[in-house]
Amino acid sequence: MAIFNLIYLSCGIVGLLLLAYKIRALRSSWGSPRVVALISTVFFSAFAVFFAAPANITWINWTTGVPNFAALLVYSLVVCFAGAAFALVLYWRYPPVAAWQRVRLILVSYSTVVAAMIVLFFKSELDEERQVDFDTYYATQPTVAVFLFIYFVATGIGCGGQAYHCWQGSRDPAISARPWLARGLRWYCAAALFPTGFAVVKLFVLMMDWAGERSFDVLSLTAPLMASLSMIPLVIAMALPVLGPRRPSPSLWVRRWRTYFALRPLHRALVHVNPGIVLVAPGKFLNPHHRVRRQIIELNDWRWALTPYFDLSVGEAATSLAAAASLPSDEVVAVVEAAQLRAAGSSSARSRPAKRRPISEIVDGTDLAAEHDRWVRISRAYQHSPIVDAAVADFVRAEAAGGKQ
């Protein structure tokens, strides 16, 4: 019993937390049939799993004074969940008016199923309480057999319809263009397959019991545990379209760290210009997106501070050497910039009076990706380019010889 309580209660609590989150997040859209269907789906699934725990079954039966009343309650909730889930995907796939024509049939059909289950339950003789083997223990009682049959069929149809429409929807061109939504629908499909499999297994065991074959009864005990695990993909399905787009891809995360380490030597070389602006926000030390963003901000600030100390002769020398080496245009720009930064950052250059430089010499990237690439090229040239070494060496020799005032 302990394992049943652990799984059902854990999954049920997860479902209730998800329900509370969805009610809070969607409270401004309660007039939408789609939102009502979504909240209903989570509500019925969460309470069905939560009440299915043997501890709660005992409490429900004791509170109501009706033996096995918990079975009627849980099974009715499962049927309502199957109907709500089927209605939800229809609202996703069709316009509201067209969806309502189909949803109306679902409401009538599943309300009829629940009503029939209630009648059949109270027409049955269920004096002995059965916490986990209600289905197999009473399978051969005619009214209970019909009760279980319509329950399993309704659950299988509803959840199977949900799985089918979610899978088809994820392949729709309009939805596949939004990858996080498509992934969410595939997880909804996975969530529906658990209760669908549960219904199929239960129906098979029921038919075997009718035939007098009891060797499959153990499957009836494990099937509900499988169905309760649907709460996990359901949570993932509801989270993906909301949280997925906000989470950078793993490949982007890796690229940001590569950018960070490519910029780090240049960042360390120029930090003396103004170390007071270096900042890592609390809790962001291991966030490469934040670290690279701060590096770019600080490098641009230091560049602006050094620009008045740029020397035209350094730029001309670097440009001439780069042209002689037949470097691509973007590499030429990086080499010239790196040479100017290294020369301007030296103590001798900054000891001279600052000069106002033309604004045209300040050229930033056109977007974030271009800015990253530009600074990475500058950093590599700053560290490794022999052209930068040569241009700056000429500048240092001239300074030493007193050629610069």
Side-chain angles (χ1 to χ4, degrees), residues 66-100:
V66 178
N68 298 299
F69 184 81
L72 174 63
L73 176 61
V74 171
Y75 293 1
S76 298
L77 288 171
V78 172
V79 169
C80 291
F81 157 73
F86 202 172
L88 176 62
V89 294
L90 292 177
Y91 274 119
W92 282 341
R93 294 210 64 196
Y94 301 102
V97 175
W100 172 242

Side-chain angles (χ1 to χ4, degrees), residues 98-381:
W100 172 242
Q101 301 300 319
R102 297 169 172 85
V103 171
R104 184 167 53 188
L105 177 61
I106 291 174
L107 288 174
V108 172
S109 301
Y110 278 76
S111 297
T112 303
V113 169
V114 172
M117 288 170 61
I118 293 172
V119 172
L120 290 166
F121 178 86
F122 285 104
K123 287 287 186 181
S124 304
E125 296 181 2
L126 306 170
D127 298 329
E128 185 173 345
E129 179 181 295
R130 310 299 298 186
Q131 291 186 345
V132 296
D133 63 346
F134 175 88
D135 300 346
T136 54
Y137 188 84
Y138 290 109
T140 55
Q141 188 176 144
T143 50
V144 177
V146 177
F147 167 91
L148 294 172
F149 180 81
I150 62 175
Y151 160 53
F152 297 144
V153 170
T155 300
I157 291 174
C159 295
Q162 176 194 354
Y164 170 79
H165 283 287
C166 285
W167 180 254
Q168 292 297 108
S170 69
R171 301 172 66 188
D172 188 291
I175 292 177
S176 58
R178 303 168 62 186
W180 285 109
L181 179 58
R183 292 184 188 120
L185 285 174
R186 286 193 284 271
W187 277 102
Y188 272 111
C189 175
L193 291 176
F194 283 89
T196 302
F198 154 83
V200 171
V201 170
K202 282 282 195 177
L203 192 58
F204 169 76
V205 173
L206 178 65
M207 291 181 176
M208 291 297 99
D209 288 343
W210 291 350
E213 179 57 64
R214 290 283 182 170
S215 59
F216 296 99
D217 284 3
V218 66
L219 296 178
S220 185
L221 299 178
T222 58
L225 295 176
M226 176 180 65
S228 67
L229 295 178
S230 67
M231 196 59 64
I232 297 173
L234 181 62
V235 171
I236 296 173
M238 292 189 173
L240 275 180
V242 177
L243 301 179
R246 302 179 187 176
R247 300 297 300 173
S249 67
S251 60
L252 179 59
W253 186 85
V254 171
R255 288 200 302 273
R256 285 293 178 269
W257 274 121
R258 291 175 61 187
T259 301
Y260 170 79
F261 285 109
L263 296 179
R264 193 179 184 193
L266 178 62
H267 187 271
R268 287 186 168 185
L270 298 181
V271 69
H272 66 88
V273 176
N274 185 4
I277 67 170
V278 176
L279 170 69
V280 177
K284 298 287 187 177
F285 184 79
L286 296 178
N287 185 328
H289 311 284
H290 170 76
R291 300 298 299 273
V292 170
R293 184 165 57 250
R294 286 304 310 173
Q295 280 182 322
I296 297 296
I297 291 171
E298 291 153 13
L299 286 170
N300 276 315
D301 280 349
W302 296 331
R303 182 173 181 267
W304 274 99
L306 291 175
T307 301
Y309 301 98
F310 280 9
D311 191 279
L312 293 177
S313 65
V314 174
E316 291 170 356
T319 301
S320 176
L321 292 170
S326 301
L327 295 182
S329 58
D330 56 351
E331 292 296 333
V332 172
V333 173
V335 164
V336 172
E337 184 75 15
Q340 291 281 30
L341 287 171
R342 187 189 290 182
S346 66
S347 57
S348 60
R350 296 180 69 189
S351 66
R352 294 184 285 105
K355 298 179 181 180
R356 183 180 295 275
R357 308 308 302 172
I359 194 68
S360 60
E361 292 187 14
I362 307 299
V363 181
D364 293 328
T366 55
D367 56 31
L368 187 60
E371 190 80 346
H372 288 178
D373 293 342
R374 185 176 67 87
W375 275 111
V376 167
R377 287 194 297 271
I378 293 170
S379 180
R380 288 171 178 163

